[in-house]
Amino acid sequence: MAAKTVGIAVADDLRPALDEVVEHFGHGNRSEFLRLAVRDYQGRLRLERLHALREEARSERGGRVYTSDEVLDLIRETAAS
């Protein structure tokens, strides 16, 4: 894996908390902890986007909730046109 060193400033009062989470989640490795944190927040970002899309679709449909069969029918109709 190609990697680049990145400097990050951490306030003195936050250092004990950082050390604690690095020890637990990163097994004492700050780089591993940061990789895990980035992946976690990336997943959260995707989930937020998915929720926003769901709410947008729900709004476009007037709040109506469709069954799985109705969704499949809509997909088939769209694919056929």
Side-chain angles (χ1 to χ4, degrees):
M1 166 179 69
K4 245 186 185 177
T5 300
V6 180
I8 298 174
V10 178
D12 289 339
D13 63 332
L14 191 57
R15 182 72 182 267
L18 175 63
D19 292 341
E20 179 182 12
V21 296
V22 165
E23 185 60 37
H24 182 77
F25 294 104
H27 307 289
N29 184 314
R30 287 188 189 125
S31 294
E32 180 60 20
F33 170 73
L34 183 58
R35 286 189 287 271
L36 290 169
V38 168
R39 289 183 191 112
D40 181 64
Y41 276 91
Q42 190 175 44
R44 291 179 190 201
L45 179 60
R46 288 180 180 144
L47 187 59
E48 284 181 18
R49 289 176 181 164
L50 182 60
H51 283 223
L53 284 171
R54 182 180 63 192
E55 289 306 313
E56 182 180 334
R58 191 172 283 158
S59 175
E60 288 175 359
R61 302 289 181 218
R64 186 169 185 277
V65 176
Y66 290 80
T67 67
S68 297
D69 290 336
E70 289 174 315
V71 170
L72 292 173
D73 289 340
L74 287 169
I75 292 170
R76 285 186 200 104
E77 290 171 18
T78 302
S81 55

